Amino acid sequence: MESLACAAPDWLAEAVPIRQWTERYGPRIDSWQLPSSQAQRTELALAYGRDGFALLEAAHAADALVWLRELPAVQVLRAVWLQNYTRTVSETGREAKRREREDLLPSRLRLTSPYDLHARYGLKQGSWWTGYKVHISETCDPEEEKENIPADGGTAPGSGSDAAGPLRIITNIATTDATVTDAEMTEPVHHMLAARDLLPAEHYLDSGYPSAELIVGMKQSFGVTLVTPVLLDSSPQARSGAGFSRTAFTIDWDNRQATCPRGHTSTWWSPAVQRDTKAIVVKFDKETCHPCPVRDKCTRARSGGHTLSLRSRDQQQVLDEARTQQTSQEWRAKYATRAGVEGTIHQAVAVTGMRRARYRGLQKTHLEHAYSAVALNLIRLDAWWNGHPLDRTRSSHLARLDLSLSA
């Protein structure tokens, strides 16, 4: 309404009842509240729907100014209305109806804000928001492996001191809309790092980023080893810790055959697609499995023999190895190196306000994220050069008193 009132005030005055619509749409959104009654809210939403369709119909009429329908605000209004409303023809004329939840477009395609056309609705681990995601990469080398980085080419005083701790520098920032999953960004992030010759030999990732396919693919394409937790075997036997899980079966990839713990071999080996993922289905003959004395430790199938689902050879071998390694204390101690990035995320939120986008649009939001990363790097370099810890421990007066009395 604001755009049309500026661009074509005379046309708007004839197209809609200005006085009535000013009362309805004139108040600023931050000074307006929804009705408390659900019935009133529903009626108001339908009134909005009818008004929106009436305005769009007038703007697209044959005798309307052609350029009106090309106004960005009118185009956004049309997109939002098509996504959220339908029109039905009844005896009394056309009526607007809100779309049911199951009829709405997927979040990735649906506009969630008329003010930012790139923002999307995101949901992760019970938290939801409208906007974007940011993916942060940083160095995590041990202190003894890191070289001094003086500002003037000389030796920086205090660099590498125990007080400052290891220097961690943010090396990459990737910004996406809120619907892009972490796994979708694993390969793009590696391309970004490779473009600036910043690929690590080992890349420590959160559990949301990897898959067996990506672990193999990143090693083949970039020579990077992904150090990351993988999903454990979800079979009933593996979950309960009783019986024979997949690792109890020996796989002969060359002869396309599997051998069970009792020494029996499979009789079926066939490629398949399971949940949009390529797999290999291996079956054992039911005549072999039915009389087996340990059948209840192997399968819960009432009819037929035991069935295995495998990935491709290289993916399955990598997956089995990763599952075995991540249960060891040595691997857990190694993966603990990644814990520092949680502090980076906290610092980005607390110091730069990265969780709130100051601008509209994906490109401007990404620029904001990049500037925030630069600011954090400067703060870290300053602290490291001067031997100051980034996170200074706070002590209460009571704790200080206790320390003085025990001295």
Side-chain angles (χ1 to χ4, degrees), residues 89-95:
V89 180
S90 63
E91 296 180 357
T92 58
R94 294 183 177 182
E95 296 181 355

PDB file of all heavy atoms in Angstrom, residues 89-95:
ATOM      1  N   VAL A  89     -14.722 -20.141  -5.793  1.00  0.00           N
ATOM      2  CA  VAL A  89     -15.897 -19.468  -6.370  1.00  0.00           C
ATOM      3  C   VAL A  89     -17.149 -20.072  -5.754  1.00  0.00           C
ATOM      4  O   VAL A  89     -17.405 -21.272  -5.885  1.00  0.00           O
ATOM      5  CB  VAL A  89     -15.924 -19.612  -7.897  1.00  0.00           C
ATOM      6  CG1 VAL A  89     -17.157 -18.908  -8.470  1.00  0.00           C
ATOM      7  CG2 VAL A  89     -14.640 -19.054  -8.512  1.00  0.00           C
ATOM      8  N   SER A  90     -17.904 -19.250  -5.057  1.00  0.00           N
ATOM      9  CA  SER A  90     -19.140 -19.699  -4.434  1.00  0.00           C
ATOM     10  C   SER A  90     -20.311 -18.924  -5.029  1.00  0.00           C
ATOM     11  O   SER A  90     -20.151 -18.133  -5.958  1.00  0.00           O
ATOM     12  CB  SER A  90     -19.074 -19.481  -2.916  1.00  0.00           C
ATOM     13  OG  SER A  90     -18.960 -18.101  -2.625  1.00  0.00           O
ATOM     14  N   GLU A  91     -21.502 -19.135  -4.492  1.00  0.00           N
ATOM     15  CA  GLU A  91     -22.693 -18.441  -4.983  1.00  0.00           C
ATOM     16  C   GLU A  91     -22.590 -16.933  -4.745  1.00  0.00           C
ATOM     17  O   GLU A  91     -23.165 -16.143  -5.490  1.00  0.00           O
ATOM     18  CB  GLU A  91     -23.932 -18.997  -4.286  1.00  0.00           C
ATOM     19  CG  GLU A  91     -24.198 -20.465  -4.612  1.00  0.00           C
ATOM     20  CD  GLU A  91     -25.432 -20.973  -3.897  1.00  0.00           C
ATOM     21  OE1 GLU A  91     -26.019 -20.178  -3.114  1.00  0.00           O
ATOM     22  OE2 GLU A  91     -25.810 -22.132  -4.117  1.00  0.00           O
ATOM     23  N   THR A  92     -21.867 -16.554  -3.704  1.00  0.00           N
ATOM     24  CA  THR A  92     -21.745 -15.133  -3.393  1.00  0.00           C
ATOM     25  C   THR A  92     -20.548 -14.476  -4.090  1.00  0.00           C
ATOM     26  O   THR A  92     -20.320 -13.281  -3.933  1.00  0.00           O
ATOM     27  CB  THR A  92     -21.592 -14.946  -1.869  1.00  0.00           C
ATOM     28  OG1 THR A  92     -20.437 -15.676  -1.426  1.00  0.00           O
ATOM     29  CG2 THR A  92     -22.817 -15.466  -1.142  1.00  0.00           C
ATOM     30  N   GLY A  93     -19.791 -15.259  -4.848  1.00  0.00           N
ATOM     31  CA  GLY A  93     -18.633 -14.709  -5.561  1.00  0.00           C
ATOM     32  C   GLY A  93     -17.348 -15.406  -5.133  1.00  0.00           C
ATOM     33  O   GLY A  93     -17.378 -16.507  -4.572  1.00  0.00           O
ATOM     34  N   ARG A  94     -16.235 -14.749  -5.414  1.00  0.00           N
ATOM     35  CA  ARG A  94     -14.942 -15.333  -5.067  1.00  0.00           C
ATOM     36  C   ARG A  94     -14.618 -15.100  -3.596  1.00  0.00           C
ATOM     37  O   ARG A  94     -14.826 -14.009  -3.075  1.00  0.00           O
ATOM     38  CB  ARG A  94     -13.844 -14.728  -5.938  1.00  0.00           C
ATOM     39  CG  ARG A  94     -13.968 -15.086  -7.408  1.00  0.00           C
ATOM     40  CD  ARG A  94     -12.801 -14.516  -8.188  1.00  0.00           C
ATOM     41  NE  ARG A  94     -12.855 -14.902  -9.591  1.00  0.00           N
ATOM     42  CZ  ARG A  94     -11.941 -14.565 -10.500  1.00  0.00           C
ATOM     43  NH1 ARG A  94     -10.915 -13.806 -10.138  1.00  0.00           N
ATOM     44  NH2 ARG A  94     -12.060 -14.967 -11.743  1.00  0.00           N
ATOM     45  N   GLU A  95     -14.098 -16.127  -2.973  1.00  0.00           N
ATOM     46  CA  GLU A  95     -13.757 -16.040  -1.563  1.00  0.00           C
ATOM     47  C   GLU A  95     -12.306 -16.464  -1.358  1.00  0.00           C
ATOM     48  O   GLU A  95     -11.826 -17.401  -2.003  1.00  0.00           O
ATOM     49  CB  GLU A  95     -14.679 -16.934  -0.721  1.00  0.00           C
ATOM     50  CG  GLU A  95     -16.136 -16.509  -0.763  1.00  0.00           C
ATOM     51  CD  GLU A  95     -17.008 -17.398   0.095  1.00  0.00           C
ATOM     52  OE1 GLU A  95     -16.461 -18.394   0.634  1.00  0.00           O
ATOM     53  OE2 GLU A  95     -18.204 -17.104   0.225  1.00  0.00           O
TER      54      GLU A  95
END
